[in-house]
Amino acid sequence: VKRAGATVTMPLTAKDTNYPIPSADVFLQPYRGLSDDPGIRRLMVPKGEYNLQVLVIDKQPFETSVSVSSDVAVKVELLVAPPRRETYP
């Protein structure tokens, strides 16, 4: 098991309003957590390459690659998801 080597700080905001997004599911594979009330998630991870995914109800999924060699901040701006189309028989 690798030791944690750096902190990844991820402020999460709505792109259209710039409001913070609390309780977002944040996955920095294989690590995960929820954003806090001011819309921030911090994870201590070993140095390396990671896939970052953020999921929130009513927002489009966010995904990017993150290279961690020292403490790093990754700004996450989430877009409103398009309305769901209902299909009727």
Side-chain angles (χ1 to χ4, degrees):
V1 175
K2 294 180 182 179
R3 292 185 180 208
T7 300
V8 180
T9 302
M10 296 155 282
L12 288 76
T13 59
K15 187 169 179 105
D16 56 338
T17 63
N18 206 34
Y19 289 147
I21 298 180
S23 301
D25 286 313
V26 178
F27 301 90
L28 193 62
Q29 302 296 341
Y31 307 97
R32 68 176 295 201
L34 292 174
S35 59
D36 60 15
D37 283 338
I40 296 174
R41 180 65 189 160
R42 288 183 182 87
L43 292 170
M44 288 285 296
V45 299
K47 295 175 183 178
E49 301 292 322
Y50 296 91
N51 182 42
L52 170 63
Q53 294 177 309
V54 179
L55 303 173
V56 183
I57 294 174
D58 296 331
K59 302 290 184 208
Q60 292 182 12
F62 177 91
E63 187 170 351
T64 192
S65 296
V66 178
S67 179
V68 178
S69 58
S70 61
D71 291 351
V72 64
V74 179
K75 185 175 182 180
V76 176
E77 294 180 314
L78 298 163
L79 298 169
V80 174
R84 296 175 69 190
R85 292 186 173 202
E86 299 295 330
T87 55
Y88 298 99

